[in-house]
Amino acid sequence: MKAIEIRNKYLRFFEKNNHKIIPSASLIPENDPSVLFTTAGMQPLVPYLLGEKHPEGTRLTDYQKCLRTVDIDEVGDNRHLTYFEMLGNWSLGDYFKEESIKMSFEFLTKELNIPVEKLSVTCFKGDDDAVRDEESAEQWRKAGIPDDKIYFFGKDDNWWIAGEEGPCGPDTEIFYDTGKEKCSESCNPSCDCGKYVEIWNNVFMEYFKNSDGTYSKLKQKNVDTGLGLERMAMLLQGKKTPFETELFSKVMEELEKMQKNDIISSRRIVAEHLRASMMIIQDGGRPSNTDRGYILRRLIRRMTRHINKLGIDLNELPKLIDISVESLKEMYPELTENKEIIKNVIIEEKNKFIRTLQNGEKEFEKAVNIAIKNNQKVIPVDVVFNLYETYGFPQEMTEELAKEHNIEVDVKDFDKLFKEHQEKSRMANENKFKGGLAEQNEMTIKYHTATHLLHKALQIVLGEHATQKGSNITSERLRFDFSNPQKVTPEELKKVEEIVNEQIQRGLEVTCEEMTLEEAKNSGAMGLFENKYGNSVKVYTIGDFSKEICGGPHVKNTSELGTFKIKKEEASSAGVRRIKAVLL
Ligand code: SER
């Protein structure tokens, strides 16, 4: 059964059982800077698990795009993925253990036709915080799971919480027996040998873990379940790895055709990271040096390096993207629509990286040789940092390279060096800024404020990815560089111009506050040049329209600016556009 069929069967089954199908939330959590990506189906539903009313009712089902990065370095083996799809059903204070288990059992055995002999389950064994989950075990017995296939474990295995604090509870997990021999007498579903594969997790969320480690009861008893789609497809298709399912197989076969070196782990890394990168870009992520952007950068750079390792020409990347989109288009039609943007972003990042990749690898080899010659087993941190600073090698990639060479790296002081480096560039930029101030006059100050209005207007019209890449102001004009994969259309430019002029006409007051960088970020200020500032920053607010970390100075009121006119839009570098504009 293809993954899309499993997804459709799942949603229909729960719909039939009075659940409302809700759309997948974005991979990039909205209004939640505390997590980088959506990691579980329940994440966008937290307010409702806590008691808020969901507009669609108390029984919900969906497929959720998820990304987990904890195991990123394990990708390449036969099972780990960063991106995956989670099918889920929820009861928000509606049904509880009995009905949840009945439905799961029926779906697995009647809809997916999994023989009951293939199933084992685990339940919570109880502790000071919550009782032994006999209730779930009893339901499994009634369903037909024999006692010797019902296991009890503690919190490590049978308690689910996202992070350290929040809604949580005991869970019952369902395992599929692959038929492999037991690895030992005591082999059971908690064993990692591959005999048992976890297929579904039903969490009975009736607790809230507080920040002090204690548990309170939630207002309502919820059910939160999650079924990993790729895994289920793999098992139902009788495959040994998700890479052999239709989700990856075409890309894997193409890589095999193209490769000069036969390295299965590299083929998997390329196929997996390619899909994950495409999904992140699809939901608005762009490569950068921080947070989500850094994860995306790591994924694309690691993939690029492994394409190289396979001996495949990097110019084949667009073809691989085409094949991957083709394999996924039934599941995510939006990928076809955005294929060009996805290609542009991946190829631009790849280009950035290959310029330095070979030199960086040579530099790395040199360091390895020196270490070997000196009988050292560790590459010093300054080499690791230099690879990062000069060659754009993420620290983790150097660690991976080192592992391949059976050598260790010292990364203990990496963060310290990183901070020192930031401080140096901050000072250099302050000096530049001081230089800039000398040229300040009435007109340049006006252009400065107009630049903030333009920046915000671009984000409104083009999207949040349209962030500042550079700015240059003279008494005659402003020049502004920003990320955007394609040319900005004349209609979009007109819209931007209109928005800026509207703000000028509204006569918005421009105010300035000093605060810490942290406070600035929390206030929602755009902080694009964070590294360049010290701990205390100035935040300029223009009415209700824009908030940006900036050294200033600015006009007092936007009505001073006159009329804003865009004169030119052109490419500045790959993925970066440039606008020149004047005030009349
Ligand atoms: N939240 C649980 C999990 O992620 C069930 O969906 O496993």
Side-chain angles (χ1 to χ4, degrees):
M1 204 181 297
K2 277 166 64 181
I4 182 87
E5 294 167 52
I6 302 173
R7 183 211 272 175
N8 289 339
K9 259 184 195 281
Y10 188 97
L11 298 177
R12 296 293 156 251
F13 175 80
F14 282 98
E15 193 178 38
K16 205 174 69 196
N17 282 287
N18 301 320
H19 290 64
K20 281 276 164 52
I21 302 175
I22 56 170
S24 171
S26 170
L27 205 45
I28 296 177
E30 283 158 37
N31 310 322
D32 188 354
S34 65
V35 277
L36 295 184
F37 295 101
T38 303
T39 58
M42 54 74 76
Q43 209 169 293
L45 295 172
V46 169
Y48 311 105
L49 294 163
L50 298 181
E52 205 170 293
K53 249 186 145 64
H54 193 285
E56 296 287 2
T58 53
R59 293 178 173 225
L60 308 174
T61 183
D62 76 5
Y63 75 84
Q64 175 62 51
K65 301 178 274 185
C66 298
L67 192 103
R68 292 187 184 174
T69 52
V70 277
D71 290 329
I72 199 166
D73 293 323
E74 306 291 331
V75 175
D77 67 3
N78 59 6
R79 61 195 176 104
H80 280 97
L81 301 174
T82 56
Y83 174 82
F84 66 101
E85 186 173 309
M86 189 184 277
L87 302 176
N89 58 283
W90 289 272
S91 153
L92 304 170
D94 192 311
Y95 58 86
F96 206 44
K97 297 180 184 179
E98 179 178 351
E99 207 172 334
S100 169
I101 290 175
K102 267 191 192 152
M103 285 190 287
S104 291
F105 186 78
E106 184 184 336
F107 180 71
L108 293 173
T109 55
K110 300 269 165 37
E111 299 281 330
L112 300 184
N113 291 321
I114 297 177
V116 63
E117 305 79 63
K118 287 268 177 203
L119 301 177
S120 301
V121 299
T122 63
C123 302
F124 182 57
K125 78 171 180 195
D127 63 12
D128 291 346
D129 301 315
V131 297
R132 182 178 173 91
D133 193 4
E134 274 301 338
E135 201 183 331
S136 292
E138 187 49 31
Q139 285 309 320
W140 287 121
R141 276 181 214 114
K142 277 194 191 153
I145 306 276
D147 259 326
D148 62 349
K149 288 192 174 164
I150 302 175
Y151 296 80
F152 285 88
F153 296 113
K155 276 218 177 70
D156 281 352
D157 291 292
N158 283 97
W159 189 274
W160 202 88
I161 181 165
E164 294 297 318
E165 193 187 343
C168 59
D171 64 24
T172 179
E173 299 186 1
I174 310 170
F175 289 80
Y176 182 97
D177 184 347
T178 58
K180 256 176 88 168
E181 281 300 307
K182 284 190 169 198
C183 66
S184 72
E185 269 295 292
S186 57
C187 182
N188 65 44
S190 76
C191 174
D192 231 8
C193 72
K195 177 175 175 57
Y196 298 98
V197 179
E198 184 202 328
I199 50 176
W200 205 342
N201 184 11
N202 294 24
V203 188
F204 302 117
M205 274 187 176
E206 54 172 324
Y207 297 95
F208 188 93
K209 187 174 181 194
N210 305 303
S211 53
D212 62 5
T214 59
Y215 293 87
S216 328
K217 280 260 176 154
L218 286 176
K219 277 200 217 130
Q220 63 195 35
K221 289 183 177 181
N222 306 293
V223 177
D224 152 44
T225 91
L227 180 155
L229 180 62
E230 288 76 2
R231 235 182 238 183
M232 186 58 96
M234 166 186 100
L235 293 168
L236 293 182
Q237 294 173 21
K239 308 286 190 203
K240 292 215 157 48
T241 81
F243 298 101
E244 292 158 49
T245 66
E246 78 285 0
L247 301 171
F248 296 104
S249 59
K250 292 260 161 40
V251 175
M252 292 294 283
E253 282 159 22
E254 190 61 31
L255 289 169
E256 208 165 344
K257 266 193 239 153
M258 290 172 170
Q259 73 187 9
K260 294 204 184 69
N261 312 314
D262 180 11
I263 314 168
I264 186 147
S265 55
S266 292
R267 289 201 296 280
R268 288 173 181 158
I269 291 172
V270 173
E272 202 284 334
H273 286 6
L274 178 60
R275 184 176 77 143
S277 305
M278 294 193 332
M279 297 306 295
I280 298 174
I281 297 166
Q282 160 63 37
D283 279 356
R286 295 293 178 267
S288 76
N289 271 340
T290 51
D291 303 334
R292 301 185 176 110
Y294 182 63
I295 302 280
L296 177 58
R297 170 157 284 168
R298 261 173 81 183
L299 288 167
I300 300 177
R301 293 193 168 194
R302 189 159 181 246
M303 163 177 87
T304 306
R305 198 170 77 72
H306 284 274
I307 295 179
N308 256 347
K309 254 183 102 174
L310 289 164
I312 295 173
D313 188 336
L314 282 164
N315 291 323
E316 300 285 6
L317 201 41
K319 188 171 174 192
L320 293 170
I321 296 174
D322 285 338
I323 298 172
S324 187
V325 169
E326 190 59 30
S327 310
L328 298 170
K329 71 171 186 210
E330 251 186 301
M331 303 203 47
Y332 310 108
E334 60 274 27
L335 286 175
T336 313
E337 239 166 79
N338 292 313
K339 197 161 82 175
E340 288 314 306
I341 296 184
I342 291 171
K343 266 190 194 165
N344 287 343
V345 174
I346 293 183
I347 287 164
E348 189 204 334
E349 181 61 21
K350 177 243 353 171
N351 287 343
K352 265 193 197 151
F353 186 47
I354 47 173
R355 271 180 235 131
T356 61
L357 180 65
Q358 279 159 352
N359 293 339
E361 283 194 333
K362 267 193 219 137
E363 203 58 31
F364 177 82
E365 301 287 344
K366 251 198 250 162
V368 172
N369 289 336
I370 293 173
I372 292 174
K373 218 162 86 200
N374 296 341
N375 246 336
Q376 288 164 341
K377 293 214 159 42
V378 182
I379 297 188
V381 67
D382 48 334
V383 175
V384 184
F385 189 73
N386 185 39
L387 283 168
Y388 169 78
E389 194 191 358
T390 317
Y391 302 99
F393 273 35
Q395 174 197 328
E396 301 78 8
M397 210 176 79
T398 306
E399 287 179 273
E400 184 179 288
L401 262 176
K403 223 186 205 167
E404 289 169 16
H405 285 76
N406 283 325
I407 194 157
E408 299 205 351
V409 284
D410 171 16
V411 288
K412 227 177 35 251
D413 288 331
F414 187 90
D415 288 343
K416 198 175 123 219
L417 288 178
F418 186 70
K419 288 218 176 76
E420 280 170 17
H421 168 73
Q422 272 184 321
E423 178 66 9
K424 263 191 228 150
S425 49
R426 182 184 70 78
M427 274 155 44
N429 275 295
E430 262 179 8
N431 286 339
K432 248 192 241 156
F433 181 65
K434 275 185 206 134
L437 275 183
E439 289 159 17
Q440 227 109 68
N441 62 41
E442 204 186 322
M443 255 345 265
T444 57
I445 294 173
K446 284 185 186 172
Y447 275 121
H448 205 156
T449 307
T451 299
H452 281 216
L453 295 178
L454 170 62
H455 190 187
K456 180 71 190 188
L458 284 168
Q459 297 210 330
I460 294 172
V461 175
L462 303 176
E464 279 187 11
H465 66 271
T467 50
Q468 176 165 349
K469 288 286 163 215
S471 161
N472 177 284
I473 290 170
T474 69
S475 304
E476 281 74 42
R477 55 117 183 96
L478 67 82
R479 195 180 81 195
F480 188 70
D481 293 352
F482 56 99
S483 323
N484 199 46
Q486 320 98 337
K487 193 167 173 49
V488 186
T489 64
E491 295 74 45
E492 286 167 335
L493 288 176
K494 192 157 165 270
K495 193 99 223 282
V496 169
E497 213 174 68
E498 274 168 15
I499 294 177
V500 173
N501 280 317
E502 200 181 302
Q503 307 319 312
I504 296 175
Q505 274 151 26
R506 286 171 74 205
L508 299 174
E509 210 184 312
V510 184
T511 52
C512 174
E513 278 170 281
E514 286 213 17
M515 54 184 91
T516 66
L517 189 57
E518 210 45 44
E519 286 165 343
K521 274 197 225 156
N522 291 340
S523 80
M526 298 198 272
L528 303 166
F529 293 104
E530 291 166 8
N531 300 352
K532 297 183 180 175
Y533 295 88
N535 237 340
S536 170
V537 295
K538 281 201 227 167
V539 172
Y540 276 90
T541 303
I542 309 181
D544 56 2
F545 185 70
S546 128
K547 205 177 233 272
E548 214 173 307
I549 299 176
C550 171
H554 284 275
V555 299
K556 294 245 161 336
N557 191 294
T558 56
S559 59
E560 296 168 41
L561 299 184
T563 306
F564 175 80
K565 181 123 199 66
I566 294 177
K567 286 295 211 194
K568 201 166 184 182
E569 192 273 348
E570 59 191 353
S572 159
S573 62
V576 179
R577 307 296 303 181
R578 169 169 289 180
I579 279 180
K580 287 187 183 156
V582 294
L583 290 169
L584 301 173

